[in-house]
Amino acid sequence: MIQADIEANATALKLRDVLMRFRRHGWRQNSVGGLTTGEIIALFSVKRAGEEDPAGAKVSDISNIMNVAPPTVTQQLNNLEKQGYIERKMDKEDRRVVRVSLTEEGVSILQRVSDESLVTLTGLVEHLGEQDSATLADLLARVSDYFQGMDSASVQ
């Protein structure tokens, strides 16, 4: 093994170890209103798809936004409907299509999630400083692009 390979491997191991520390901190388990991370993502996806179509979001639209299979979305939506955060209605023009929209409670919980997230991230910016925070944001965007490229390559 040449020196560059050894150094790259050591850096990859360091990245893995640091990322594993996030899991130990339980930062992903912090939920608002007892919602899972998946349910929160589903709510944001319903909101986004609903903004694109005033009639409400279709399950296929939500599925595309979340990049998961429709049955997974349906399970999330069932839970959210039971909790009163979304409602389903038949499409007026095509009765085979079900439209999903946020209830007042859904809009309210999304606002709470957004507010709490902003408080947490503002604290992180204060901890790291503006420059390091901007650098971190740029690096995370590049990481996301890298993994998105890997996902696209595996589909082809």
Side-chain angles (χ1 to χ4, degrees):
M1 215 187 254
I2 62 173
Q3 185 63 27
D5 289 340
I6 293 170
E7 289 174 9
N9 193 24
T11 302
L13 290 171
K14 181 179 179 182
L15 274 170
R16 182 194 64 190
D17 292 344
V18 169
L19 291 172
M20 293 297 288
R21 287 171 41 191
F22 283 101
R23 188 173 198 164
R24 279 184 253 146
H25 294 304
W27 67 283
R28 290 187 65 196
Q29 282 98 20
N30 296 342
S31 68
V32 176
L35 294 172
T36 66
T37 302
E39 290 169 338
I40 291 170
I41 292 169
L43 281 174
F44 275 109
S45 300
V46 168
K47 179 182 179 199
R48 181 173 156 203
E51 289 169 348
E52 295 172 10
D53 189 339
K58 294 188 284 187
V59 173
S60 60
D61 297 333
I62 300 165
S63 172
N64 289 335
I65 290 169
M66 293 178 66
N67 198 27
V68 297
T72 303
V73 171
T74 299
Q75 183 179 1
Q76 298 285 358
L77 295 178
N78 289 341
N79 293 337
L80 293 169
E81 187 174 35
K82 285 177 193 171
Q83 295 176 69
Y85 295 127
I86 63 154
E87 62 184 0
R88 293 178 169 136
K89 293 181 182 173
M90 291 274 191
D91 186 288
K92 293 177 182 171
E93 296 179 19
D94 185 347
R95 295 182 52 83
R96 297 170 297 174
V97 176
V98 175
R99 298 290 182 158
V100 181
S101 58
L102 296 173
T103 62
E104 285 184 35
E105 292 86 3
V107 171
S108 177
I109 197 77
L110 275 183
Q111 188 62 53
R112 271 186 57 204
V113 168
S114 292
D115 292 347
E116 289 187 22
S117 172
L118 189 58
V119 166
T120 299
L121 293 174
T122 299
L124 180 61
V125 170
E126 290 171 0
H127 176 74
L128 295 176
E130 285 288 333
Q131 185 173 359
D132 284 348
S133 296
T135 300
L136 176 61
D138 292 341
L139 288 170
L140 289 173
R142 289 174 54 197
V143 169
S144 176
D145 292 345
Y146 170 76
F147 284 114
Q148 185 174 0
M150 286 181 64
D151 290 345
S152 298
S154 68
V155 171
Q156 296 173 356

